């Protein structure tokens, strides 16, 4: 007669192993939930730093004029100037390094809450270039995935497994923990509120590094970015929001036109949307005192540019905001 003892022992081993694994999974799940919930709470309590500006743009502002774009939007458009000259409340939702996917996500969230009278979208050199970093930077939007279903399809462009990774409560805040807690202080909070999203640059160029080269005018185009850009335009039109697409100034002059600007201008014309190109404007080219460095205006340059742009917007030729 064969003993069943070894077989029963094996069963007990597997049962014990399964129990331990289940226990570990429970601990991981509880830890993920608790730590993730803590990070989420403090993330949305931030009153300073770029994350707080993103949250304000998506969830709070009801500005009549909304500015969107990357760092050149953040540093080139002064809400106080637009409010004074156009008599519209204004908020600058630009963010350093933000791709067009991010800009479209902010627009969709804003339009879900209210209808701005006008939107300014800054189109920079290389905005339609195909780069992995543009998708990596969608991590900025991860904390909003759960509460903003309107942007989920955009966030999921980050990678094929994002919807599964986002089952974790910690994952959206993996790289944000330090900023979450340092931005709980009062440092720069008042400044952020007073400037309405605009981030000023104080430096003035004295000389230009002769080694600095203008960027190439041709590169591989990301078709997804072009599609999203066109969707941005169509959503504004559908909402009844006036849209102004702007290529703001650079210090250097280029021969020929950047391919992203060419594509953007063509699509804007298709929908009869005003496209204003200050790319080679002689009022700014090689004016060192107006630039922080060759790619970004300083505060003096931003004031000059914001005022000039208001004049264009006010003209009937450009469907001026009244």
């Amino acid at each position: 007669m064969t003993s069943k003892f070894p077989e029963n022992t094996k069963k007990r081993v597997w049962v014990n192993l399964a129990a331990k694994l289940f226990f570990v999974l429970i601990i991981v799940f509880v830890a993920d939930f608790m730590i993730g919930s803590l990070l989420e709470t403090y993330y949305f309590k931030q009153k300073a730093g770029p994350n707080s500006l993103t949250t304000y743009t998506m969830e709070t502002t009801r500005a009549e004029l909304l500015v969107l774009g990357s760092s050149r939007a953040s540093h080139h458009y002064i809400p106080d100037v637009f409010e004074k000259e156009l008599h519209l409340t204004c908020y600058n939702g630009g963010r350093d390094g933000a791709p067009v996917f991010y800009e479209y996500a902010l627009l969709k969230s804003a339009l879900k809450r209210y209808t701005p009278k006008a939107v300014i979208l800054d189109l920079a050199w290389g905005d339609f270039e195909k780069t992995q970093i543009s998708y990596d930077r969608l991590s900025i939007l991860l904390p909003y995935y759960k509460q903003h279903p309107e942007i989920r399809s955009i966030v999921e462009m980050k990678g094929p497994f994002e919807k599964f990774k986002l089952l974790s409560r910690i994952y959206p805040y993996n790289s944000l923990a330090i900023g979450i807690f340092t931005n709980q202080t009062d440092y720069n909070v008042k400044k952020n509120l007073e400037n309405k999203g605009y981030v000023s640059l104080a430096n003035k160029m004295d000389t230009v590094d002769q080694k600095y080269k203008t960027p190439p005018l041709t590169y591989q185009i990301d078709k997804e970015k072009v599609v999203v850009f066109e969707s941005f335009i169509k959503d504004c039109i559908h909402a009844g929001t006036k849209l102004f697409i702007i290529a703001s100034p650079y210090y250097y002059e280029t021969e020929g036109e950047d391919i992203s600007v060419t594509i953007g201008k063509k699509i804007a014309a298709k929908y009869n949307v005003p496209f204003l190109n200050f790319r080679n404007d002689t009022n700014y080219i090689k004016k060192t005192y107006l630039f922080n460095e060759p790619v970004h205006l300083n505060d003096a340059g931003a004031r000059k540019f914001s005022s000039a742009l208001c004049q264009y917007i006010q003209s009937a030729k450009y469907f001026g905001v009244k």
Side-chain angles (χ1 to χ4, degrees):
M1 182 172 176
T2 304
S3 173
K4 295 184 178 181
F5 180 77
E7 183 179 342
N8 291 336
T9 301
K10 288 180 182 179
K11 286 183 179 180
R12 286 198 297 271
V13 169
W14 281 109
V15 168
N16 290 337
L17 183 61
K20 289 178 181 179
L21 180 60
F22 179 74
F23 182 68
V24 169
L25 290 175
I26 291 294
I27 291 176
V28 170
F29 174 80
V30 171
D32 178 84
F33 180 84
M34 294 179 65
I35 296 173
S37 297
L38 180 67
L39 291 172
E40 179 181 11
T41 297
Y42 280 95
Y43 178 91
F44 287 101
K45 283 185 176 181
Q46 292 178 95
K47 300 299 181 183
N51 295 330
S52 70
L53 301 182
T54 296
T55 300
Y56 189 85
T57 305
M58 293 182 70
E59 299 186 346
T60 303
T61 187
R62 299 188 74 86
E64 295 168 301
L65 172 59
L66 185 60
V67 177
L68 295 174
S70 59
S71 61
R72 289 165 52 72
S74 174
H75 304 309
H76 290 188
Y77 302 82
I78 305 179
D80 285 346
V81 174
F82 288 96
E83 291 185 348
K84 180 179 179 181
E85 299 194 24
L86 298 180
H87 307 291
L88 294 172
T89 56
C90 179
Y91 189 78
N92 188 328
R95 178 161 178 162
D96 289 8
V100 66
F101 306 126
Y102 170 86
E103 296 152 11
Y104 186 42
L106 263 61
L107 176 75
K108 288 175 71 68
S109 293
L111 290 178
K112 185 178 179 181
R113 294 186 296 103
Y114 81 112
T115 303
K117 288 186 178 180
V119 169
I120 290 175
L121 175 63
D122 185 273
L123 181 64
W125 165 85
D127 267 0
F128 299 151
E129 183 179 8
K130 189 169 186 176
T131 61
Q132 181 58 43
I133 195 170
S134 296
Y135 293 88
D136 295 340
R137 285 176 175 163
L138 286 173
S139 59
I140 298 169
L141 296 171
L142 294 178
Y144 308 93
Y145 182 88
K146 182 174 66 173
Q147 299 298 332
H148 290 269
E150 72 277 5
I151 72 166
R152 287 177 187 169
S153 62
I154 300 172
V155 174
E156 288 168 8
M157 294 174 72
K158 185 174 184 292
F161 304 109
E162 288 307 301
K163 62 173 64 178
F164 303 108
K165 292 179 181 178
L166 283 158
L167 293 174
S168 165
R169 296 292 292 267
I170 292 177
Y171 175 67
Y173 311 98
N174 272 345
S175 60
L176 303 173
I178 294 176
I180 288 173
F181 292 105
T182 58
N183 286 328
Q184 300 301 322
T185 67
D186 290 332
Y187 181 72
N188 271 345
V189 172
K190 184 177 180 182
K191 182 178 179 180
N192 281 353
L193 294 174
E194 288 178 346
N195 289 347
K196 300 163 190 172
Y198 164 65
V199 180
S200 64
L201 298 175
N203 293 338
K204 181 171 65 174
M205 290 173 57
D206 293 322
T207 60
V208 179
D209 187 348
Q210 295 302 314
K211 295 181 180 179
Y212 190 92
K213 296 181 180 180
T214 58
L217 297 176
T218 59
Y219 38 80
Q220 185 178 4
I221 293 297
D222 188 332
K223 294 181 180 179
E224 291 290 344
K225 289 184 177 181
V226 177
V227 169
V228 166
F229 176 79
E230 188 164 1
S231 296
F232 189 108
I233 293 175
K234 290 191 286 189
D235 282 12
C236 285
I237 293 172
H238 180 74
T241 296
K242 292 184 176 73
L243 174 62
F244 301 92
I245 301 172
I246 314 296
S248 56
Y250 285 83
Y251 172 83
Y252 47 76
E253 186 175 7
T254 58
E255 295 181 3
E257 190 168 64
D258 169 61
I259 190 171
S260 290
V261 172
T262 300
I263 293 172
K265 184 187 298 183
K266 183 177 180 180
I267 297 174
K270 175 182 175 181
Y271 293 96
N272 201 29
V273 169
F275 187 104
L276 306 179
N277 190 356
F278 292 82
R279 180 67 178 82
N280 284 335
D281 192 316
T282 55
N283 290 304
Y284 305 93
I285 293 293
K286 296 184 178 179
K287 303 293 193 298
T288 55
Y289 59 92
L290 296 177
F291 285 85
N292 179 75
E293 28 73 26
V295 176
H296 297 106
L297 295 166
N298 59 23
D299 186 68
R303 291 187 182 280
K304 176 182 175 69
F305 171 64
S306 295
S307 183
L309 182 55
C310 285
Q311 295 177 28
Y312 278 101
I313 292 177
Q314 286 171 324
S315 68
K317 181 179 179 181
Y318 294 107
F319 311 99
V321 179
K322 302 299 182 183

